[in-house]
Each structure stands twice: as C-alpha cells, then as structure tokens.
Amino acid sequence: MAPRFASVDDYIASYPEDTRTQLAGVRKAIKKVAPHAAEKISYGMATFTVDGKPLVYYAGWKNHVGLYPVPTGSPEFEEAIAPYRRAKDTVRFPVSRPVPLELIGEITRLCLARRAAVSESSDS
C-alpha cells in the first residue's frame, strides 16, 4: 500500500534529493501560471485544483517525474512535448535531466484553458 501524505510538502520531502528538486521545480512552474490554484494530495499524487476540481497532477517516480493530464495543443506544442509524451495524456520528464519548466507552464495554461472552455459550455 502506498504511503499517505498529509500535505504536498510532505509528499515532495519523501523523495531523494534529485527527484525532490524536480518536483519542486514543477510545483513552482505550475504555481507561477495558476497562483489561484489550491494544492492537495489526490490519488497519492500532488495535485493542483481550481474550484475544488483537479487541474493537474504531478508525481515522482524512480527515474522520472510525471504530469497528468496533458491536453493536446498547437503543432509547436506537440513537437516540444513529443519527447516526453508516454500516453495520450501523460508526460514523463527524466530525473537525470532538467525539467523544461517553460513547457510545464504551457501545459498548465492549456489545462486552465480547457477548464474555462468546459465551464463556459456548461454555463450555456
């Protein structure tokens, strides 16, 4: 059974230094784009939420940091994300290399835009 964490700080602190550094960078990049988002642990992962609903999850693994869900974007975005995409809506950033924080920011912007579009369509 996976350990349970009281906070995102506890979650990040539980990892080895290299993974901790990557997770902290991902967290900072998401906060920069979505400063209004709340943080919590959900499904055993660090999660940013907006209006109580998950916006983006990120998790540490032995050899990578994962981010979920990752929406599709422009052709330029898809080209930039291609080396990291592992499934339709998942990316993995190797712990052995710096995480492209500007790409994390773009993923967050896309998640916010998708959330706004869903909200607008449900308000109609």
Side-chain angles (χ1 to χ4, degrees):
M1 184 168 197
R4 296 195 180 266
F5 300 98
S7 69
V8 173
D9 289 330
D10 291 344
Y11 176 80
I12 291 172
S14 73
Y15 284 90
E17 184 176 352
D18 55 349
T19 306
R20 224 178 17 246
T21 299
Q22 300 286 43
L23 289 169
V26 168
R27 183 186 198 187
K28 185 176 179 181
I30 295 169
K31 277 185 176 183
K32 184 176 180 180
V33 174
H36 60 291
E39 293 182 276
K40 71 177 192 173
I41 299 295
S42 182
Y43 296 106
M45 296 180 277
T47 308
F48 276 92
T49 65
V50 173
D51 297 329
K53 296 179 184 172
L55 177 68
V56 65
Y57 299 85
Y58 62 104
W61 301 96
K62 183 175 181 179
N63 297 312
H64 69 275
V65 170
L67 198 69
Y68 328 87
V70 177
T72 56
S74 69
E76 295 81 14
F77 172 78
E78 291 303 319
E79 185 177 331
I81 203 91
Y84 309 106
R85 220 182 254 284
R86 293 295 176 260
K88 180 181 175 188
D89 61 356
T90 301
V91 291
R92 292 182 185 174
F93 300 103
V95 174
S96 60
R97 293 182 291 189
V99 173
L101 299 178
E102 65 286 343
L103 203 49
I104 301 295
E106 183 60 22
I107 290 167
T108 306
R109 280 187 280 284
L110 287 169
C111 288
L112 286 168
R114 180 176 62 184
R115 172 64 56 80
V118 168
S119 179
E120 287 175 11
S121 69
S122 67
D123 290 343
S124 302

